[in-house]
Amino acid sequence: MKCDRPLKTIEWIGGVDGCVRMIDQTRLPGELVHVEIRDVEAMCEAIKTMRVRGAPAIGIAAAMGAVIGVQTARDSDAAAFRERFADVCDYLAASRPTAVNLFWALDRLRRVVDSLPGADVPALRRALLDEAKGIRDEDAAMCRAIGQAGAALITTGAGVLTHCNAGGLATAEYGTALAVCYAAHDAGREFRVYAGETRPLLQGSRLTAWELDQGGIDVTVICDSMAGVLMKQGKVDLVITGADRIAANGDVANKIGTYSVAVLARAHRIPFYVAAPSSTFDLSTPDGSCIPIEERAPDEIRRGFGPLTAPVDAKCYCPAFDVTPADLIRGIITENGIITPVCADAIAAMLIDDSA
Ligand code: MRU
């Protein structure tokens, strides 16, 4: 079941009356199955249940979901269309709270509609589809640039630890943390990636291990609890993870367990890097304490994949993300280069330069 790189994680099929085709990530690594999404309710379900997941990918999914959501208003007048569009955006915005890319993508679509005050419905629909497809294509380009910006960090013989899945499955194509691995691999370097399995939903072992194997990169799965021992044994030279939201001061929200890995890396004097596109920065959030953290159903811990892994009535606490403070992060690898040291001024300088 090998498939070509880059993965086609999420694509728009057809014109304004088209649909979305995406990999159903809940079925991996057992089966590579695609699903077609034809209504906004199905898109919301796909985001909530993590058929599509990863911050940039859910931004793309939300944008394309909005285009699908307004298909039912194709015969309405412009005012009713705008009303439907606003409702659809609010509905999609309620799907998952932490990854800022989702809100960023919906805001981009809102700005498109606001910028065309006199437009008729066909023109609005075309403009929305162009924007959604543009968000996807820009993400693919940003991820390639992140790979190039970070590739030199991985030298031949290195051990790289990553957590969760910040790969092609989490973005339009190559990923963020894994784009760095792909770029180093393409530059001819041989190295090993350790994929932390990432309890409770195992994005590391199910998705990262699967996609790196597809890409011909040497990958070893470890349980989350093994990271410290690996570091002590000298097997980890650097850590690279993705991000769901980066606050103005550089605090990073990412998959639960990232913070523990960052603390371990600091204790072992191992550099800890985050790789993320500019769409993951949220300068309106001053620091990590203000980032909304999604809490998921206790059954993801008790019986995430069927059989009980805790007593059926065990109390469980299931935050999906944690915050790694900026001072534990050596650098943030972006499409414009590596931000280091990680601080508000350096972040603002990089993002403002980019938008200039
Ligand atoms: O709950 P998930 O699987 O959507 O969480 C994903 C992560 O935490 C990723 O590391 C993050 O979105 C970065 S993806 C490039």
Side-chain angles (χ1 to χ4, degrees):
M1 188 187 64
K2 293 270 176 196
C3 63
D4 290 338
R5 182 151 51 96
L7 293 166
K8 297 268 186 287
T9 302
I10 177 162
E11 292 178 288
W12 183 266
I13 308 292
V16 280
D17 288 312
C19 68
V20 169
R21 184 170 187 266
M22 60 165 75
I23 296 175
D24 182 347
Q25 300 189 34
T26 63
R27 307 279 288 273
L28 286 169
E31 299 172 294
L32 178 57
V33 175
H34 291 82
V35 281
E36 287 193 353
I37 303 287
R38 295 181 179 280
D39 58 63
V40 69
E41 290 79 14
M43 184 60 89
C44 229
E45 187 269 354
I47 296 172
K48 283 182 180 171
T49 60
M50 294 164 64
R51 295 184 201 286
V52 59
R53 34 67 49 205
I58 65 174
I60 298 163
M64 292 184 174
V67 178
I68 291 174
V70 293
Q71 287 171 342
T72 57
R74 61 172 72 84
D75 299 323
S76 309
D77 63 27
F81 180 89
R82 284 171 191 275
E83 222 167 277
R84 168 72 182 163
F85 170 71
D87 290 347
V88 160
C89 287
D90 290 348
Y91 178 67
L92 286 161
S95 56
R96 292 192 77 189
T98 303
V100 75
N101 307 60
L102 187 145
F103 306 96
W104 168 87
L106 291 173
D107 279 347
R108 275 185 57 161
L109 294 199
R110 289 189 185 102
R111 281 201 295 276
V112 165
V113 167
D114 291 348
S115 72
L116 297 169
D120 61 12
V121 168
L124 287 168
R125 292 183 70 202
R126 267 196 311 276
L128 285 171
L129 177 58
D130 287 348
E131 189 72 3
K133 286 162 85 174
I135 287 171
R136 186 226 161 269
D137 293 347
E138 284 169 34
D139 184 66
M142 287 193 289
C143 288
R144 280 172 198 262
I146 287 170
Q148 294 308 318
L153 295 171
I154 303 180
T155 50
T156 291
V160 182
L161 174 64
T162 190
H163 188 67
C164 192
N165 172 266
L169 290 166
T171 63
E173 288 184 357
Y174 282 95
T176 58
L178 297 195
V180 176
C181 300
Y182 292 130
H185 178 75
D186 290 348
R189 279 169 233 136
E190 283 183 23
F191 54 93
R192 169 172 296 174
V193 178
Y194 293 99
E197 67 176 351
T198 316
R199 276 278 286 162
L201 294 184
L202 307 183
Q203 290 93 328
S205 53
R206 287 191 307 110
L207 307 178
T208 295
W210 178 81
E211 80 161 85
L212 287 177
D213 181 54
Q214 298 290 314
I217 292 180
D218 183 350
V219 57
T220 302
V221 176
I222 60 163
C223 299
D224 299 327
S225 51
M226 298 168 186
V229 157
L230 244 72
M231 290 181 185
K232 193 162 184 153
Q233 291 171 343
K235 292 183 169 146
V236 179
D237 297 290
L238 75 163
V239 180
I240 314 178
T241 73
D244 284 85
R245 190 185 294 230
I246 303 176
N249 73 339
D251 291 351
V252 169
N254 192 51
K255 178 54 53 191
I256 191 74
T258 303
Y259 170 56
S260 312
V261 174
V263 170
L264 283 169
R266 169 59 56 88
H268 293 85
R269 299 178 200 278
I270 293 168
F272 180 95
Y273 288 93
V274 168
S278 48
S279 52
T280 301
F281 287 79
D282 178 9
L283 298 189
S284 70
T285 294
D287 61 54
S289 67
C290 310
I291 298 176
I293 300 293
E294 177 181 12
E295 200 174 319
R296 294 190 62 92
D299 265 354
E300 290 188 355
I301 296 177
R302 287 191 292 242
R303 46 163 40 128
F305 296 93
L308 281 174
T309 46
V312 68
D313 54 357
K315 279 193 274 183
C316 295
Y317 173 49
C318 195
F321 300 95
D322 58 28
V323 173
T324 298
D327 70 319
L328 292 180
I329 303 168
R330 173 72 62 87
I332 302 179
I333 308 162
T334 75
E335 72 272 24
N336 301 313
I338 302 179
I339 299 175
T340 185
V342 178
C343 62
D345 288 350
I347 288 172
M350 181 73 87
L351 295 182
I352 287 160
D353 273 4
D354 183 36
S355 61

